[in-house]
Amino acid sequence: MKIGFLLPIATCLSLANATATSNTFLLQAISNTTNTISSYEDKCYRETHTISNSNDLKYLEDCQTLKGDVLISNFKEPIIQLSSNLQEISGSLTIRNAPHLVRLEGPKLTSIGETFSIRELTSLALISFPELKSVKVLDWKVLPILSTVHFNSEIKDVESITVTDTSLTAFSGFMTNNLHTLDLNNNRFLESITSNVERVTEKLHIAANAENVHVNLSHLKFAKNLTIQETSNIDLSSLENVENSASFINNYFKQLKIPKLKAIGGTLSISRNQVLNQVEFPMTDEIGGGLVVVNNTAIEKINFLPKLSIIGEAMEIVGNIKDIQLKQLKLVKGSAKITAFSSIFDCTKWTKSEVGSIIRGGKIECTNAKGTINTSSNGTGDDNRNMDGINHDGAFAEPAPGFKYRSEAVKKAISFVLLSIALSSYYLVLKLN
Ligand SMILES: *[C@@H]1O[C@H](CO)[C@@H](O)[C@H](O)[C@H]1NC(C)=O
Ligand SMILES: *[C@@H]1O[C@H](CO)[C@@H](O)[C@H](O)[C@H]1NC(C)=O
Ligand SMILES: *[C@@H]1O[C@H](CO)[C@@H](O)[C@H](O)[C@H]1NC(C)=O
Ligand SMILES: *[C@@H]1O[C@H](CO)[C@@H](O)[C@H](O)[C@H]1NC(C)=O
Ligand SMILES: *[C@@H]1O[C@H](CO)[C@@H](O)[C@H](O)[C@H]1NC(C)=O
Ligand SMILES: *[C@@H]1O[C@H](CO)[C@@H](O)[C@H](O)[C@H]1NC(C)=O
């Protein structure tokens, strides 16, 4: 008991004193422990923990679990540092209205039970949750200088990911089989998107990221609604089925090959892809909506749907078209509108070919440099759709407004940093250069 000798006399005295009154001491200790538990519960278990300054954070600093949602708003300081005791937030973590917030850190946070939602945080540059292993929904919007995200661990249970209007430079993920939403748009420095997701059951939207963005979704088999815009490369080599619409708008790639895609439930739109000239949909036999191939400057032949037999709505083809070969096409339930800018395309021949009998929508309009031929098909009229009947599904929508930050300064300021977000099956790798 050498330690005993080291104790100052006062301590020894007070120990002796405590022993003397040990009964009282015990009782008090018990009742104080009870107090601690109940106030701990009281403080750590709330429907919503509202935080607006670092004192509020300090008040919760001994909570290991915050039951309920955490709402941080009207926070005026530059740093949010969650306590290193905090391991779990059972509900959502939401941060709003914190214009001065630069860093968000949670050194030991492992789990966010619901949504991690941060929006319109114009100074936020860094998020560091190195222990995060589980989050259900990632909802990040308008974080114009967010360029560094530190998620070191594998993150599980992700259901939806929306990242828009950030300065992140790469997104990659592995082994996530199912997502409701994967929406990555207006991340102007985002140059690489990789995910091993196999099914996206609601929305898959990639648009207006860096101009040279490469998108690799080589494991994707099913998408409900697919929109790919402003990308320079896309790998959809496993895609078999699109339940709703598939849109490829204003991309910078030359090739669009989807070797396994069998059916598209809605409209297939391929529009305004300036340099696209190699298109291959070798297996696609049915398009439930319309077929829209408009203003792809380099496409001259519509011969890339060799198995297509049914178009559920109208077909609209506009461009430098010289030839249309849809050999297996048996039925177009809507109308057909062809606008060929060259005179090489022979409208007379085309309208007199068998198309007259397969186009049931009633109207065939063919325009080339020589003029327009309108004919009526002799369809049964059971599907009296016309060109306006195409459900474009917002395919021609412009990139989301509001992305005006092309902060070169920021980009330069934070150079040569490589960061990674690992989201279970997922991680974002953020590389700043
Ligand atoms: C218990 O709490 C009471 C009042 O809150 C305090 O006076 C007392 O010193 C505490 N006892 C112990 C053992 O912490
Ligand atoms: C996409 O990633 C896979 C590996 O997951 C790779 O085999 C394939 O070549 C990549 N595609 C492109 C276009 O780089
Ligand atoms: C296609 O180009 C024509 C002529 O430039 C234009 O009027 C039309 O709006 C364009 N359509 C689409 C869908 O881009
Ligand atoms: C339309 O007319 C063509 C020939 O004129 C004929 O072979 C075809 O059966 C007709 N289709 C319908 C649905 O009446
Ligand atoms: C063909 O139909 C379109 C619209 O339906 C009309 O604008 C055009 O003038 C017609 N052209 C001819 C030559 O009848
Ligand atoms: C498909 O996605 C696009 C872009 O995200 C959206 O505008 C459109 O409304 C969606 N359509 C359906 C049927 O969900």
Side-chain angles (χ1 to χ4, degrees), residues 90-111:
S90 76
S92 295
L93 170 61
T94 304
I95 306 177
R96 295 279 189 275
N97 196 6
H100 307 296
L101 182 65
V102 174
R103 304 161 68 97
L104 170 60
E105 296 174 11
K108 290 286 185 273
L109 187 66
T110 59
S111 164

Side-chain angles (χ1 to χ4, degrees), residues 46-91:
R46 290 275 165 84
E47 197 173 313
T48 305
H49 303 269
T50 304
I51 291 168
S52 57
N53 55 50
S54 43
N55 284 339
D56 295 344
L57 283 170
K58 200 163 164 44
Y59 172 68
L60 296 172
E61 77 183 356
D62 50 351
C63 296
Q64 290 184 357
T65 295
L66 286 172
K67 284 268 186 200
D69 296 327
V70 174
L71 171 63
I72 303 180
S73 75
N74 299 314
F75 196 94
K76 302 205 165 52
E77 299 157 48
I79 296 172
I80 290 175
Q81 172 127 40
L82 302 176
S83 148
S84 54
N85 292 316
L86 183 61
Q87 291 171 11
E88 189 186 341
I89 292 171
S90 76

Side-chain angles (χ1 to χ4, degrees), residues 268-279:
L268 171 61
S269 299
I270 301 175
S271 297
R272 290 191 271 127
N273 302 287
Q274 296 294 318
V275 297
L276 178 63
N277 63 8
Q278 294 174 53
V279 187

Side-chain angles (χ1 to χ4, degrees), residues 25 28-29 32:
F25 180 87
Q28 276 185 349
N32 286 13

Side-chain angles (χ1 to χ4, degrees), residues 174 194-196 214-219 233-235 237:
F174 301 95
T194 306
S195 169
N196 281 22
H214 287 239
V215 180
N216 192 332
L217 300 174
S218 62
H219 294 246
N233 187 297
I234 179 128
D235 187 335
S237 49

